[in-house]
Amino acid sequence: MKLINICFCSNDKYVKFIPTVINSFIKKNLHNIITIHYIKDFEESNDLNFLRNFVSKFDNLRLKEYYKTWNFEYKGFSHIESSASMIRLFIPDIIKEKKVLYLDLDLIVNLDLYEIFKLECGETGIRLRNHTNVQRKKWWPRYMWKQIMALPREKRKGGNSGVMLLDLDKLRKNNFIEKCLKLHAKHSDGSDQYIINLYTMTKQELLEPRFNIFADEGNLIDENNDFIFHWCGGHKPWKNKNGKYDYLWNKFKVDII
Ligand SMILES: [Mn+2]
């Protein structure tokens, strides 16, 4: 039996997707004891009651709830739709554990979570997967560009914040929250992902691709039996229909009643 901490953050509109994400990992995690740390920016809702009830049906799961709001004006990506995603910057303060695996809600988890949870997080305290899209100049602040270009090509990438293993002790020691808030004050247009990348400055430890397969990399599903598939970007399986890999979401979908 392994003890695992995972974390979700959302507003009242997205809480209804959590049972589907949980449902996707149940089968491969029956031997793990999983605490689900849920950080929300609202008080109560029917969907939240459904989630509580859903989790209570599994002996190896428990749900811990936290309340946190983001008081700074959110100007991030339009497809993220919510300042609730910025709340993840406060995880090291909110969750009193040594380590947690943060997961977005636009993904399905088809693996033993301990495969990721057991990994180390290095000096930055963060392990995530690099995102090839963020090699472009406009993605990085001007003052960093020279520094970025001086790095070997494969290091010039930024991390995707949809799946992140966080060493909370290390992040607290590194004053992660304070640094992120300073970075946000300077780059208020930046999403949480952008801010996290300014914090790690390309020194993050990396997750192998199958631990966060992006929506346009479906071929990686054929090559791996155990993976996390992430609908990062604008296409969401519950919104725009007929995406090639939406069957994965529909396979695990839990209808809220
Ligand atoms: Mn996402």
Side-chain angles (χ1 to χ4, degrees):
M1 284 281 190
K2 301 282 193 241
L3 299 176
I4 293 175
N5 294 299
I6 64 171
C7 171
F8 300 121
C9 301
S10 91
N11 60 11
D12 59 336
K13 289 196 184 76
Y14 275 62
V15 59
K16 63 174 175 286
F17 301 126
I18 299 177
T20 296
V21 178
I22 293 171
N23 197 35
S24 73
F25 67 64
I26 282 296
K27 252 193 187 163
K28 291 191 174 175
N29 287 274
L30 292 172
H31 56 292
N32 294 322
I33 296 174
I34 300 171
T35 302
I36 300 162
H37 301 267
Y38 176 43
I39 306 171
K40 57 194 174 66
D41 68 353
F42 62 97
E43 303 277 359
E44 292 295 328
S45 78
N46 287 338
D47 293 349
L48 176 59
N49 279 327
F50 181 90
L51 170 66
R52 289 169 177 149
N53 195 31
F54 183 80
V55 170
S56 72
K57 289 176 188 156
F58 301 96
D59 288 340
N60 62 326
L61 302 185
R62 66 179 180 136
L63 183 66
K64 278 186 109 173
E65 296 175 31
Y66 309 82
Y67 175 77
K68 176 80 186 169
T69 54
W70 171 258
N71 299 316
F72 308 90
E73 196 186 341
Y74 178 67
K75 300 174 191 163
F77 298 132
S78 60
H79 70 259
I80 289 171
E81 289 178 4
S82 162
S83 64
S85 72
M86 297 300 270
I87 291 170
R88 77 185 91 175
L89 299 177
F90 294 94
I91 289 172
D93 191 34
I94 296 169
I95 300 177
K96 313 291 184 201
E97 300 283 350
K98 283 180 184 309
K99 208 190 220 182
V100 75
L101 175 62
Y102 167 83
L103 296 168
D104 265 4
L105 297 172
D106 52 354
L107 46 77
I108 65 112
V109 179
N110 180 31
L111 48 70
D112 177 346
L113 287 161
Y114 193 70
E115 273 205 85
I116 304 180
F117 195 74
K118 68 183 179 191
L119 301 171
E120 299 291 327
C121 297
E123 55 172 304
T124 63
I126 298 183
R127 182 182 285 270
L128 35 59
R129 188 182 166 204
N130 271 349
H131 206 304
T132 47
N133 285 347
V134 292
Q135 287 185 81
R136 289 169 313 200
K137 189 167 186 173
K138 69 168 191 183
W139 209 84
W140 298 99
R142 197 185 300 206
Y143 72 89
M144 270 186 73
W145 187 242
K146 258 193 169 167
Q147 246 172 300
I148 296 297
M149 291 312 282
L151 295 165
R153 184 165 271 278
E154 68 278 7
K155 279 244 161 193
R156 285 178 207 161
K157 300 167 183 176
N160 179 278
S161 62
V163 179
M164 290 189 291
L165 185 63
L166 303 172
D167 178 334
L168 300 178
D169 279 341
K170 185 58 75 70
L171 290 171
R172 287 186 280 259
K173 207 177 125 232
N174 289 354
N175 295 315
F176 170 79
I177 298 173
E178 203 187 314
K179 284 178 184 162
C180 287
L181 291 178
K182 273 190 188 151
L183 288 164
H184 180 264
K186 248 194 197 171
H187 310 275
S188 58
D189 286 351
S191 63
D192 55 288
Q193 178 170 289
Y194 186 84
I195 302 297
I196 287 167
N197 278 288
L198 294 185
Y199 162 81
T200 57
M201 283 285 232
T202 72
K203 292 191 175 65
Q204 64 266 22
E205 292 297 314
L206 298 182
L207 284 176
E208 57 180 290
R210 71 185 173 97
F211 291 154
N212 184 358
I213 297 178
F214 305 140
D216 58 351
E217 299 177 317
N219 58 311
L220 289 175
I221 293 175
D222 306 328
E223 296 163 19
N224 297 287
N225 291 322
D226 299 281
F227 57 81
I228 292 177
F229 187 83
H230 180 194
W231 285 268
C232 56
H235 180 95
K236 303 296 176 202
W238 56 81
K239 205 165 74 182
N240 345 77
K241 295 289 172 200
N242 303 320
K244 192 171 173 196
Y245 297 97
D246 290 2
Y247 71 90
L248 282 171
W249 181 267
N250 295 328
K251 184 175 161 188
F252 295 108
K253 189 167 182 282
V254 176
D255 290 311
I256 305 281
I257 41 166

